[in-house]
Amino acid sequence: MATDLFSTARERLEDAARYLDIERDIIDQLRYPKETLAATLLVRMDDGSRKAFKSWRCRYDDTRGPTKGGIRFHPAVNVDEVMTLAFWMTFKCAVVNIPFGGAKGGVSVDVKTLSRAELERLSRVYVEAFSRFIGPERDIPAPDMYTNGIVMAWMADEYGTITGHPSPAIITGKPVALGGSLGRDDATGRGGFYILRHLGEDLGVSSDKSRIVLQGFGNASFHCARLLHDDGYRIIGLSDSTSAIYDPDGMNPYAVMEHKERTGHVAGAPTHGNARQLDNAELLETECDVLIPAAVENQITEANAARIKAPVILELANGPTTPAGDAILDKKGTVVVPDILANSGGVTVSYFEWVQNKAGYYWPVEEVHSRLKAILEPETRRVWEVARDKAVSVRTAAYVHALERIGHAVEARGTKAFFNQKN
Ligand code: NAD
């Protein structure tokens, strides 16, 4: 069994290939990234010194189109993680048929130690270093952990300075005032909501009887929670990085968010009076109908998977379940709607942002919502059918569905079978 993150992620590729009649050269192409560039970023600090930061950008595969993926600013960022995230992006874009390949970037930095001006300089230096690697038709970055709309605005501006003209399509997740798309802010949570509702009958989940627990209460989690709440689902558990709250009678996510914005925590938020405070680990193991991990990686592992009671898990976070945890859930019959499908609403609306930037024509939010739904529902149905037809987990089915699509794109330029045909 592989131990590094990238090799572990790549096991999904071999696993999916077992269920497809696919040529070996296609798998070989996808075993390693197309290209990865490392750069040392030298940034002038406020005290006049110059500090060096390690950084990377990986374009994993561009067979289906320009590569797409976020830029992460975090002290733990390394090349193994960047390649893994780029691999996941490749499959995420393919699973929902977005005409992009996968990419990812990162800088090893603790942004909490930087002033705002230093953060701006770091963001601009990143674009300078990778200006020939990225491009509106080549590789389109976006926000990820500890990067946000203003970082994207600085990066787009820097790219425009280098090219000599504004290029909003270079990056997505921009503020709306600078060419960002309406509906991007809640797209990940909304996508998860559409997918869960679409599979409701298949999963035995419905708004009148299903209890939901969400781990995390940030962008993805809050919007998913509020849409589920508005639709009648009962939100019985929520958490942040410090604590978790549980109320079997349900809680109002808007009130919890208002409390969190005021106090910095979900703890102590208004509930129905039957609330209890739990620790984060207990929340994951709470009895509920749907568990939605929406915080960080590696939360469901071989250490706790056996104790997870939820029969359905919707992975809004990237990589919340380890392969060992996944195997335990699979054996128990837990249905896991995997990250590459469950959180694909985000990249789908990023794609819409790129389309609008290139067209110079901007859509009303209702159009963004209806187009998002029109993409996610049929692709979710297809993944569900693959899982049923091949008797595999929904995760394996999502990889099979995506790999088949990437495989068709590679085959369209010819493979061994084509070149060995006699006529
Ligand atoms: P965010 O920073 O807005 O929110 C993260 C939340 O998780 C915060 O409430 C934080 O307090 C909480 N948290 C952190 N560590 C925790 C822990 N150990 N236990 C419980 N809660 C913890 O981030 P986000 O944008 O909502 O992203 C959340 C996840 O969704 C990430 O895995 C991200 O990669 C994934 N994702 C997000 C998007 C998007 O568009 N925002 C798209 C695709 C995937």
Side-chain angles (χ1 to χ4, degrees):
M1 176 93 127
T3 50
D4 63 289
L5 191 64
F6 179 56
S7 304
T8 309
R10 231 173 30 175
E11 283 172 13
R12 306 270 187 220
L13 174 65
E14 298 290 347
D15 188 36
R18 292 196 291 126
Y19 297 97
L20 288 172
D21 180 17
I22 189 164
E23 290 202 47
R24 188 67 218 174
D25 46 356
I26 297 173
I27 305 302
D28 288 344
Q29 170 177 332
L30 294 170
R31 280 177 60 74
Y32 293 99
K34 180 183 170 85
E35 49 185 349
T36 307
L37 186 63
T40 302
L41 308 182
L42 292 172
V43 178
R44 182 74 62 195
M45 307 304 280
D46 292 345
D47 67 1
S49 64
R50 224 159 50 138
K51 202 166 171 184
F53 297 93
K54 285 194 206 159
S55 70
W56 298 269
R57 183 82 190 160
C58 171
R59 299 180 65 237
Y60 200 90
D61 183 79
D62 66 353
T63 310
R64 299 184 60 259
T67 49
K68 182 93 191 77
I71 299 174
R72 180 172 286 196
F73 284 180
H74 192 272
V77 166
N78 58 64
V79 68
D80 182 53
E81 182 183 81
V82 169
M83 291 192 320
T84 304
L85 291 163
F87 172 89
W88 285 339
M89 281 304 296
T90 306
F91 283 81
K92 192 181 295 184
C93 293
V95 87
V96 286
N97 209 12
I98 299 304
F100 286 145
K104 208 77 183 190
V107 180
S108 174
V109 58
D110 181 357
V111 292
K112 291 179 190 142
T113 65
L114 301 182
S115 70
R116 288 189 176 176
E118 287 167 344
L119 181 63
E120 176 174 2
R121 289 196 286 274
L122 175 68
S123 306
R124 290 183 181 277
V125 171
Y126 184 91
V127 169
E128 208 184 318
F130 293 94
S131 62
R132 285 187 300 278
F133 202 73
I134 60 175
E137 329 295 334
R138 193 173 199 280
D139 177 28
I140 305 127
D144 194 78
M145 273 164 71
Y146 294 103
T147 53
N148 55 17
I150 193 161
V151 171
M152 299 305 108
W154 292 326
M155 289 184 165
D157 184 52
E158 187 63 28
Y159 191 79
T161 303
I162 292 167
T163 56
H165 52 84
S167 292
I170 178 60
I171 209 157
T172 61
K174 300 177 294 297
V176 171
L178 292 170
S181 178
L182 294 174
R184 176 61 187 91
D185 53 345
D186 73 2
T188 302
R190 178 176 292 276
F193 165 68
Y194 287 161
I195 289 170
L196 189 66
R197 219 175 38 171
H198 181 70
L199 289 178
E201 256 181 49
D202 309 272
L203 296 170
V205 168
S206 62
S207 61
D208 56 336
K209 64 177 174 37
S210 297
R211 299 155 304 159
I212 315 279
V213 165
L214 299 104
Q215 185 196 33
F217 202 52
N219 174 287
S221 174
F222 167 65
H223 289 297
C224 192
R226 75 169 174 84
L227 289 164
L228 287 165
H229 169 81
D230 291 349
D231 208 38
Y233 290 83
R234 197 155 23 123
I235 310 296
I236 63 164
L238 287 171
S239 63
D240 58 28
S241 55
T242 52
S243 58
I245 50 173
Y246 167 77
D247 186 339
D249 295 334
M251 38 193 146
N252 179 336
Y254 297 93
V256 179
M257 183 48 91
E258 197 269 322
H259 173 84
K260 189 184 166 211
E261 278 175 349
R262 215 163 13 88
T263 65
H265 302 286
V266 296
T271 56
H272 283 102
N274 285 321
R276 275 192 291 133
Q277 206 165 309
L278 304 177
D279 66 36
N280 249 311
E282 283 177 288
L283 184 78
L284 290 178
E285 296 166 21
T286 302
E287 195 168 316
C288 63
D289 301 298
V290 183
L291 172 65
I292 305 184
V296 287
E297 301 98 80
N298 299 335
Q299 295 302 296
I300 302 171
T301 68
E302 59 189 328
N304 64 355
R307 294 194 300 275
I308 303 264
K309 298 185 191 69
V312 174
I313 297 178
L314 180 80
E315 292 184 336
L316 278 191
N318 279 318
T321 311
T322 65
D326 208 29
I328 295 169
L329 295 175
D330 206 26
K331 220 179 225 169
K332 284 205 307 177
T334 309
V335 179
V336 181
V337 183
D339 47 6
I340 60 164
L341 175 65
N343 69 32
S344 62
V347 74
T348 304
V349 177
S350 278
Y351 162 58
F352 295 165
E353 180 175 335
W354 179 80
V355 169
Q356 292 171 79
N357 292 154
K358 285 176 76 72
Y361 179 75
Y362 290 84
W363 310 342
V365 73
E366 297 75 20
E367 186 166 350
V368 172
H369 294 166
S370 66
R371 285 180 183 270
L372 175 64
K373 205 161 173 230
I375 287 183
L376 294 187
E377 288 189 349
E379 297 299 340
T380 299
R381 179 57 45 201
R382 185 71 199 115
V383 169
W384 188 261
E385 285 166 2
V386 172
R388 196 194 50 202
D389 295 349
K390 297 194 185 290
V392 294
S393 69
V394 185
R395 189 188 308 281
T396 300
Y399 275 90
V400 168
H401 180 51
L403 179 59
E404 187 169 36
R405 198 165 259 152
I406 300 168
H408 285 155
V410 177
E411 271 167 17
R413 293 181 184 144
T415 58
K416 185 176 167 189
F418 170 80
F419 287 103
N420 283 296
Q421 271 168 18
K422 296 285 176 256
N423 45 33

